[in-house]
Each structure stands twice: as structure tokens, then as C-alpha cells.
Amino acid sequence: MTSIALVDDDRNILTSVSIALEAEGFEVKTYSDGAAALTALSASPPDLAVFDIKMPRMDGMELLRRLRLKSDLPVLFLTSKDEEIDEVLGLRMGADDYIRKPFSQRLLIERIRAVLRRREAQALDPAERAEKDKIIQRGKLSLDPMRHSCAWSGDQVTLTVTEFLILQALALRPGFVKSRDQLMDAAYDDQVYVDDRTIDSHIKRIRKKFRVADKDFASIETLYGVGYRYREV
């Protein structure tokens, strides 16, 4: 049974969303503050986490930041209509998706399923994998989709599911430009809409992670008004 962690200080949301998710066959654990959630998620990670930004003791941003220090757990966060800046920051910090309050439970469930499908696609039997899912070696870059593993000059780089799929789409054809729409298609389910800024935020996050391993990393190039391309070094 797929396990979901739901973190929100609004008891009504915890109750209503839990009922909806359990009706869809998910196992749900709820937490009303970020500090309690961090302890529990670190000890026993679920398959996916959903949490609010504004919470007592530890807000969603801090919870996400701490989780990303040690885990690539898929994360979808909840944000209010007036928290546009937080949406961008959350994506830069490694969130896989977000949904704005108020939201329909059906939309939330579809977003959760979309993120889980992207994660499950990384764990298929080798015989079932397409050519694009074999180990990709591009100079200093090594991508292993089967293990969801990424390395630069031998140093491991931890990527979220969405970040991995975006980088994989670029690295499959180095030198070729990928538009934002093409990267959306590679990383997101057809039923999920994201805007250009979402892809830009993920690209910034990917670059930041690689620059920890190599301060001179510049293999993802921006072609303004067109998209991005991977330059093999």
C-alpha cells in the first residue's frame, strides 16, 4: 500500500484529505506541525509527502530544506493564492509540485498520482526499459535511471524525481535545444499543468546542486526565448 504523509496545522484539512486519500487506497499518516513531521519522516519515510507552507514550530519551507539534506522523497506542497514567492522558492528547494488552496480533493489526488507515476517509472524491470532509460554517460555526467542515480565526475548528486527527468531529457541529446514545453512533457503527467517559471525554477535548482560538486559547472545552457540545452564536457 502506498504511504502518504500529510502535514498541515489545519485539522479540517487533515481529516477531509485523509478520508479522501484512504478511500483511494492510500495509507495516510498525518502531522500537525513541521517539527513532528521531520522526526517521523526521517525515521520512516513514506512514498510521498504533502505539506503546507505555513505551520507552527517549523514551517513547510524549513521542513523541505531539512528533508532535502538527506532524502529525495517526493514532495508536493500546499500554498495559498497570495504565496506566489513561496511557490518559486519551494520549487527551487526541491519540491516536485505544488497546489494552491483552496483545492479540490480530486485535483490533489491526481497530482499525487502523477508524481508517484514519475517515481515508479524509475524502477521498472530492465527488460521493460526503453533505450532512453539505459545508463547515460555524457562526459563528467553519469545518469542511471534504473537506480535514480546521478553523478558528476564520480561525485553523487541527489536529484528529485522531477529534476532527474528534466536533466535526463536534456542529456539524451546533448547540443539539441529542448523547449520548456518539451521539458514539461518529459517531467510531468499530461493531466498536470505547470507554467514556464516552474521549469525555470527546477533548472536553477539542478544547476545549484551540480555547482556544489563543481563550482564551474555550466553544462546546462539557457537559450533565451527558446529553451535549454545540455553541453557535453
Side-chain angles (χ1 to χ4, degrees):
M1 184 178 293
T2 301
S3 58
I4 306 292
L6 182 61
V7 190
D8 199 307
D9 62 327
D10 188 325
R11 294 289 182 178
N12 291 328
I13 288 180
L14 290 180
T15 299
S16 62
V17 174
S18 292
I19 292 173
L21 290 174
E22 288 170 353
E24 293 290 324
F26 294 109
E27 178 186 7
V28 183
K29 293 185 178 180
T30 62
Y31 307 92
S32 57
D33 69 80
L38 179 62
T39 299
L41 270 57
S42 298
S44 181
D47 294 301
L48 180 144
V50 179
F51 51 81
D52 190 21
I53 289 179
K54 299 295 176 64
M55 293 186 292
R57 296 183 63 192
M58 181 186 297
D59 65 21
M61 288 298 184
E62 180 62 14
L63 175 57
L64 177 61
R65 186 188 71 79
R66 295 196 186 191
L67 280 175
R68 283 292 173 256
L69 293 175
K70 62 181 94 174
S71 171
D72 64 349
L73 170 71
V75 170
L76 187 155
F77 69 98
L78 307 176
T79 178
S80 299
K81 288 183 177 180
D82 60 350
E83 293 173 341
E84 185 173 320
I85 294 177
D86 286 342
E87 293 167 2
V88 176
L89 289 175
L91 291 170
R92 288 178 180 174
M93 292 170 65
D96 289 276
D97 204 351
Y98 69 88
I99 187 169
R100 293 182 180 178
K101 296 181 180 180
F103 55 86
S104 73
Q105 293 176 356
R106 174 50 53 189
L107 176 60
L108 176 60
I109 290 169
E110 289 304 319
R111 291 290 184 90
I112 288 172
R113 291 194 185 282
V115 173
L116 288 172
R117 280 195 294 271
R118 299 201 301 272
R119 169 54 65 92
E120 290 167 0
Q122 304 300 317
L124 297 176
D125 185 84
E128 300 175 358
R129 301 302 298 235
E131 180 69 22
K132 70 175 184 178
D133 291 326
K134 295 180 179 179
I135 293 177
I136 301 168
Q137 192 70 46
R138 298 288 184 263
K140 297 179 180 180
L141 175 69
S142 178
L143 290 174
D144 185 349
M146 289 299 298
R147 295 177 174 80
H148 188 75
S149 174
C150 173
W152 182 262
S153 294
D155 294 327
Q156 290 297 308
V157 179
T158 301
L159 301 175
T160 66
V161 176
T162 306
E163 292 165 354
F164 190 96
L165 292 173
I166 289 173
L167 179 58
Q168 180 181 351
L170 291 169
L172 278 170
R173 301 193 72 187
F176 287 78
V177 179
K178 288 282 187 180
S179 69
R180 289 172 178 82
D181 285 342
Q182 289 174 316
L183 294 177
M184 289 178 199
D185 290 341
Y188 286 90
D189 186 87
D190 290 340
Q191 297 177 339
V192 177
Y193 170 77
V194 294
D195 58 23
D196 289 355
R197 186 179 58 199
T198 302
I199 296 298
D200 293 342
S201 294
H202 283 308
I203 291 290
K204 290 177 181 177
R205 177 71 178 175
I206 293 168
R207 285 170 169 159
K208 181 178 179 181
K209 289 183 175 182
F210 274 89
R211 284 169 183 160
V212 172
D214 180 355
K215 63 182 179 62
D216 296 320
F217 175 80
S219 289
I220 299 178
E221 299 180 329
T222 302
L223 280 80
Y224 293 99
V226 181
Y228 297 95
R229 69 182 172 199
Y230 185 84
R231 180 171 62 87
E232 187 172 347
V233 295

